[in-house]
Amino acid sequence: MTGETLPPPRAGFVVSKAVGGAVVRTAVKRKLRHLVRDRLALLPPGSLVVVRALPGSGDADHAQLARDLDAALERLLGGGAR
C-alpha cells in the first residue's frame, strides 16, 4: 500500500426533527456545514466525522454553534483544535 494517499477528511451531518421544523433543520445544517468547512484542515487525512445537532441547536446562534463545534473537535483531537 505504499504510494497511496489518503482521501481528504469528510464530514456528515445528522439533524433530527427534534431540532425543529424543516426550515430550522436546514438552517442548522447550513450553519454547521459552513463551520465544519473551515475546520476540516484540522482533521487527519482520511477522517470521517459525523456532526449530530442536538435539540437545542435550532435556538443557538452561529457563534454558539461555533463554540460547541470547537469544543467537540478539541475533545475529539485531544486538545489539538483551535
Side-chain angles (χ1 to χ4, degrees):
M1 291 200 155
T2 59
E4 288 186 28
T5 60
L6 291 172
R10 295 184 298 163
F13 302 90
V14 176
V15 184
S16 75
K17 289 184 180 180
V19 171
V23 173
V24 172
R25 290 194 315 268
T26 301
V28 168
K29 197 180 315 179
R30 290 175 75 200
K31 288 176 190 175
L32 287 172
R33 204 178 302 132
H34 174 77
L35 290 166
V36 168
R37 186 178 300 123
D38 294 339
R39 291 156 176 81
L40 275 179
L42 299 172
L43 302 173
S47 297
L48 300 174
V49 176
V50 176
V51 178
R52 180 175 157 245
L54 298 176
S57 302
D59 297 325
D61 63 3
H62 190 81
Q64 183 62 50
L65 288 175
R67 284 191 298 272
D68 292 345
L69 180 61
D70 287 339
L73 286 174
E74 191 166 333
R75 284 191 304 272
L76 175 69
L77 298 171
R82 294 180 187 193

